[in-house]
Amino acid sequence: MSKHYKVELDSPLGVIEILGTEDVVQSILFLEKEKALENQEEISAVLLDCRNQLIEYFQGVRQTFTFPFQYSGTPFQQTVWNSLIGIPFAETASYRDIAITLQKEKAVRAVGNANGKNKLSIVVPCHRIIGSSGSLTGYAGGLWRKEWLLHHEKKVKESRLV
């Protein structure tokens, strides 16, 4: 059985907890606490790489992630999450768009449910899913974080076009 590791990161959106093994990141979630743990002891190279890539994302120098990660969910959920990864940086899609992409037009609610169970925040960009009307819809990390992430990505993209 693989040893499990944990690292916390202070971000502009609060503390992010990264969980995983020697080989893969398994979870990236926001914590409702003020400060990341200090003196974090043993951290796998993969989690350290994830942490560093997230720092680069928040600095506006990274738009894609290259560390290995692993989903934990049903085959349908995993299909939805794979579709989320296909949404380009600073762009959005609706639950309906994803359902159509999966050729399951009537599965809009199931897509929304799968989106809400994503444990790889930011990297599997569920924050890029908006309502069909263009409104912000639920986000497990809180709507204010979703709004911040979308604004951040738009600002980074616009600064690169200049």
Side-chain angles (χ1 to χ4, degrees):
M1 186 157 183
S2 296
K3 184 172 180 181
H4 284 81
Y5 299 90
K6 171 176 120 171
V7 65
E8 291 182 1
L9 163 67
D10 283 315
S11 82
L13 298 172
V15 178
I16 297 174
E17 176 187 67
I18 306 165
L19 302 173
T21 66
E22 293 269 337
D23 304 315
V24 294
V25 172
Q26 297 169 316
S27 174
I28 302 168
L29 296 173
F30 294 103
L31 299 180
E32 297 303 326
K33 64 189 254 185
E34 294 292 315
K35 198 95 177 95
L37 290 173
E38 291 188 29
N39 302 327
Q40 299 177 65
E41 295 175 16
E42 199 178 346
I43 303 169
S44 73
V46 169
L47 265 64
L48 199 54
D49 189 26
C50 171
R51 182 180 160 276
N52 292 337
Q53 288 187 36
L54 284 169
I55 290 168
E56 292 171 351
Y57 169 86
F58 286 117
Q59 292 171 339
V61 296
R62 176 174 290 277
Q63 296 182 12
T64 58
F65 299 94
T66 57
F67 57 84
F69 56 85
Q70 179 181 52
Y71 303 129
S72 180
T74 68
F76 178 77
Q77 288 170 336
Q78 292 181 36
T79 304
V80 170
W81 299 331
N82 283 332
S83 295
L84 297 178
I85 292 171
I87 303 170
F89 183 86
E91 294 188 23
T92 57
S94 69
Y95 297 121
R96 180 172 162 64
D97 294 334
I98 299 298
I100 290 168
T101 299
L102 299 176
Q103 299 180 329
K104 297 182 184 288
E105 291 83 3
K106 296 187 188 305
V108 174
R109 283 196 175 151
V111 166
N113 189 30
N115 196 50
K117 290 188 172 22
N118 172 29
K119 290 188 187 234
L120 292 162
S121 296
I122 303 171
V123 175
V124 177
C126 55
H127 62 277
R128 295 183 190 149
I129 297 295
I130 59 173
S132 297
S133 66
S135 63
L136 292 186
T137 54
Y139 184 64
L143 279 181
W144 70 273
R145 285 187 177 113
K146 180 176 192 157
E147 189 172 17
W148 190 97
L149 289 164
L150 291 172
H151 179 72
H152 170 69
E153 290 184 1
K154 183 179 176 190
K155 195 169 63 177
V156 168
K157 185 177 181 182
E158 287 171 354
S159 72
R160 291 182 179 231
L161 295 176
V162 176

